[in-house]
Structure formats: structure tokens, C-alpha cells
Amino acid sequence: QRVVFYREKAAGMYSSNMYALAYMMAEVPWFTLCVLIFYVIVFFASQVADSFQQGLLYLLPFWLFVTMCTFLSHLITAISPNYEVANALGPGMASWFSSLCGFYLARPHIPGAYIWLYWLNPFRYTYESLAIAMMQDETFVCGPLAGANCTNQTANSLMISFGFAPGNNSLDWWYWFDQIVVALYTMA
């Protein structure tokens, strides 16, 4: 589409900003449909949700995450001089984001020199909000195969031990803060 864009821009048909906005908005119905199909199949088939409200609390961060990733891929495509550079930048950024979002390495275990990458990472805010939506106020009970060191824990204390929701704010506050941060990343 780059050739079409150059031709239309040279002809004075529209500005770069309007082209980018139209290009991104054309994607919204498609990925919204994909998110809803995924949501219905995975979320309700797995019977993870205790209520419809909990299901909606999962849907919002997931939709924002897919929106942000789609728009990020458009940005990478726009700034890359060719297909090969875009193919290197996209997976490289995704690897960096997923490695430092707190899933593979919890926040208390991230070295001090890299903690700033954790706080700038948009995947971190999505991961935290999805964990809060899915596990808040749940209790994990040790099963018969758990072993002697297993103790029953609440998900809230487990999430705090992983470094989620630092400070004195509640998990609900962090859930909505995370949504705002991901929405701001999406708009940027």
C-alpha cells in the first residue's frame, strides 16, 4: 500500500495523518469481531468467569491490548523502510515487551538496572489488569498432590507477592489505572 499512499499524497488527495487514521480505523471492526469470537470461545468455554461482570472486566483489557498491538504494528510498518526491517522490529519489540512484563520474571526479581523497562512496558499493564480481572478475591486451595510446603493463599496476596498493585492502592484502582495507561499507549 506504500505505492498507493505515495501516489495519492503526491496528487494532494489527503494528508499523511488522515491516511494513517483511516488505515487504522478500517481495522477496528475486524479485530473487534476477532476479539469477540476469541472471548466467547475461550473465556466462556473454559468456565473461568464467575459472573458476567467478571467476564466484561476481562474483555476490556483484552480488546485494548489487541487494539494497541494492531496500531503498533501499523506504526512499525510506517517507520520501516522495507518489509525486512519491519519483520525484525516487530518480533524484537514483542520479545522485549513480553520478557519484561512480569510474567516470566516477577517485578521483585527484575534487576534494578532494568526496572524502568518494566514500568514503560505496555504489556505489563495489560498483564496486570488481566490477572486482577481473573483472580481478584479468589482463594487457591492446596490439593492432595501439592506437597508439604503448600499453604492455602488468596489470589490478592499472591498477586502482591508477584509485584502487582504496588503501594497502598486497591486492586480495583490498579485495574482502572492499567486500562488508562494501555488506552494512552493505543492513542499515542
Side-chain angles (χ1 to χ4, degrees):
Q1 293 186 0
R2 200 175 285 246
V3 175
V4 173
F5 169 71
Y6 290 148
R7 183 189 70 214
E8 299 297 325
K9 186 173 179 193
M13 296 298 288
Y14 42 73
S15 70
S16 301
N17 293 339
M18 289 300 109
Y19 177 82
L21 182 65
Y23 188 54
M24 288 187 281
M25 290 300 112
E27 296 276 351
V28 172
W30 171 249
F31 69 70
T32 300
L33 177 66
C34 291
V35 164
L36 289 174
I37 290 170
F38 176 86
Y39 174 74
V40 168
I41 292 171
V42 172
F43 196 74
F44 288 114
S46 65
Q47 298 178 348
V48 177
D50 293 334
S51 66
F52 182 70
Q53 181 184 4
Q54 185 183 16
L56 290 178
L57 289 176
Y58 174 83
L59 182 61
L60 175 64
F62 185 64
W63 183 82
L64 279 173
F65 178 73
V66 171
T67 305
M68 181 197 61
C69 288
T70 302
F71 292 173
L72 179 62
S73 68
H74 287 292
L75 173 69
I76 290 169
T77 303
I79 65 171
S80 299
N82 56 40
Y83 177 74
E84 290 80 16
V85 172
N87 264 350
L89 283 177
M93 289 180 71
S95 296
W96 171 69
F97 284 156
S98 60
S99 294
L100 292 169
C101 73
F103 181 74
Y104 298 118
L105 190 61
R107 182 177 62 90
H109 303 291
I110 295 175
Y114 297 106
I115 198 70
W116 65 276
L117 294 170
Y118 171 81
W119 289 106
L120 288 177
N121 189 346
F123 285 28
R124 166 247 186 263
Y125 297 99
T126 300
Y127 175 55
E128 181 178 76
S129 62
L130 288 173
I132 291 170
M134 298 303 299
M135 297 190 303
Q136 186 174 13
D137 299 327
E138 295 288 329
T139 301
F140 299 116
V141 180
C142 297
L145 302 175
N149 293 333
C150 183
T151 58
N152 295 343
Q153 291 188 3
T154 65
N156 294 1
S157 65
L158 190 63
M159 285 189 284
I160 290 170
S161 72
F162 282 130
F164 291 161
N168 296 327
N169 296 316
S170 69
L171 290 174
D172 288 330
W173 185 91
W174 276 103
Y175 173 84
W176 291 108
F177 176 79
D178 293 339
Q179 302 316 304
I180 292 168
V181 170
V182 175
L184 289 173
Y185 268 107
T186 302
M187 290 186 287

